[in-house]
């Protein structure tokens, strides 16, 4: 049986200590690093841009997933792909031509992920799912860390699992937002392959241990 994979979200860290945080993540069991970019348009918040990506690229040893919460992400794919990024995840709601954006991500040598907001139906993925490496199921409305997990997400994960099977696709299911020790077991049982977690890892005394505990999903 496969294990649940865990990726810490850097958004919840104290950026005054970014180097220290990256050292902690480097020696943790984290499977990759999740990096949230927000533009104040697609989502109400603005996070950070290339200077932070550069700092991450210099100090981080884990694979990087960029979660682009930006309108028309195709404008930035090439620039962002230069920072040692393994996967770029865009929002279906932010792309007028999702299929084309997915192909652009792949042509830059990155894995392609598509994120769906809590209200967005899985139907938007029917004809693109076989091209995807990952589907990111948002369990909160994107924009901020530290929000509560939306319970309908569990049903969506199960239905996505069925869609992947029906379409004979290979996409990986990751769940982003509100993931804690208390709900990780249900998320795993619903069929997720990976969870993204920010505040439950970085607000804990020992982030390395918090990552381990999520992986074990007791
Ligand atoms: C939300 C971001 C998430 C967020 C997760 O818009 O995409 O990745 O950082 O943070 P928590 O785990 O605190 O919900
Ligand atoms: Zn995210």
């Amino acid at each position: 049986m496969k294990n649940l994979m865990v990726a810490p979200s850097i958004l919840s860290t104290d950026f005054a200590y970014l180097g220290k945080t990256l050292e902690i993540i480097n020696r943790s069991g984290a499977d990759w690093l999740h990096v949230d970019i927000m533009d104040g348009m697609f989502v109400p918040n603005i996070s950070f841009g290339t200077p932070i990506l550069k700092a991450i690229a210099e100090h981080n040893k884990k694979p990087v997933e960029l979660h682009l919460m930006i309108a028309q992400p195709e404008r930035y794919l090439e620039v962002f792909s230069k920072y040692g990024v393994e996967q770029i995840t865009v929002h279906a709601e932010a792309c007028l031509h999702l299929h084309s954006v997915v192909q652009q991500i792949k042509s830059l040598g990155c894995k392609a992920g598509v994120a769906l907001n809590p209200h967005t139906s899985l139907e938007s993925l029917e004809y693109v799912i076989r091209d995807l490496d990952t589907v990111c199921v948002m369990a909160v409305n994107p924009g901020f860390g530290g929000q509560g997990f939306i319970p309908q997400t569990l049903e969506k994960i199960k239905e996505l699992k069925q869609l992947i099977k029906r379409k004979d696709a290979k996409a990986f299911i990751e769940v982003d937002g509100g993931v804690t020790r208390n709900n990780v077991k249900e998320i795993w049982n619903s069929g997720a392959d990976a969870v993204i977690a920010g505040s439950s890892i970085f607000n804990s005394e020992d982030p390395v241990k918090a990552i381990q505990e999520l992986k074990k999903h007791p």
Side-chain angles (χ1 to χ4, degrees):
M1 188 161 133
K2 284 189 305 172
N3 288 323
L4 180 71
M5 300 180 95
V6 175
S9 165
I10 199 88
L11 186 67
S12 308
T13 62
D14 183 341
F15 282 88
Y17 302 100
L18 182 59
K20 272 213 162 82
T21 305
L22 291 170
E23 269 172 37
I24 293 172
I25 296 170
N26 285 343
R27 63 178 161 81
S28 77
D31 293 281
W32 69 87
L33 182 65
H34 181 90
V35 179
D36 290 309
I37 302 202
M38 304 175 176
D39 67 352
M41 287 270 294
F42 178 67
V43 290
N45 199 7
I46 296 177
S47 58
F48 48 76
T50 48
I52 295 282
L53 287 184
K54 185 167 174 281
I56 291 173
E58 280 163 13
H59 298 280
N60 161 60
K61 295 197 171 86
K62 299 282 180 180
V64 170
E65 172 194 13
L66 283 192
H67 177 191
L68 301 187
M69 284 159 275
I70 66 178
Q72 297 174 291
E74 59 276 12
R75 295 173 298 148
Y76 286 96
L77 297 176
E78 196 172 348
V79 167
F80 289 163
S81 73
K82 301 213 162 93
Y83 293 92
V85 172
E86 183 179 272
Q87 174 167 307
I88 300 182
T89 300
V90 294
H91 269 262
E93 305 85 359
C95 299
L96 192 52
H97 303 288
L98 182 61
H99 179 271
S100 163
V101 174
V102 166
Q103 305 314 319
Q104 285 176 53
I105 294 172
K106 290 177 155 183
S107 73
L108 291 164
C110 299
K111 290 186 183 168
V114 171
L116 296 181
N117 282 338
H119 78 279
T120 304
S121 158
L122 294 172
E123 275 173 32
S124 56
L125 296 182
E126 284 256 342
Y127 303 105
V128 79
I129 189 94
R130 270 196 293 263
D131 293 326
L132 302 183
D133 295 290
T134 300
V135 178
C136 176
V137 180
M138 292 306 298
V140 298
N141 285 295
F144 301 92
Q147 303 181 76
F149 184 88
I150 298 174
Q152 293 91 316
T153 308
L154 297 174
E155 190 185 335
K156 197 171 188 179
I157 300 166
K158 289 180 195 151
E159 289 173 10
L160 174 59
K161 192 94 187 159
Q162 292 302 317
L163 173 67
I164 291 171
K165 208 170 156 199
R166 179 161 61 80
K167 291 282 184 179
D168 198 22
K170 301 276 177 289
F172 201 77
I173 302 177
E174 67 177 39
V175 176
D176 186 10
V179 176
T180 67
R181 276 184 69 177
N182 300 330
N183 57 23
V184 71
K185 191 170 182 187
E186 275 182 301
I187 296 171
W188 166 257
N189 287 341
S190 302
D193 299 295
V195 292
I196 312 303
S199 46
S200 70
I201 292 176
F202 294 109
N203 291 350
S204 77
E205 298 264 297
D206 184 346
V208 173
K209 194 167 154 214
I211 292 169
Q212 238 14 69
E213 283 175 353
L214 287 175
K215 285 188 89 119
K216 281 193 293 182
H217 52 88

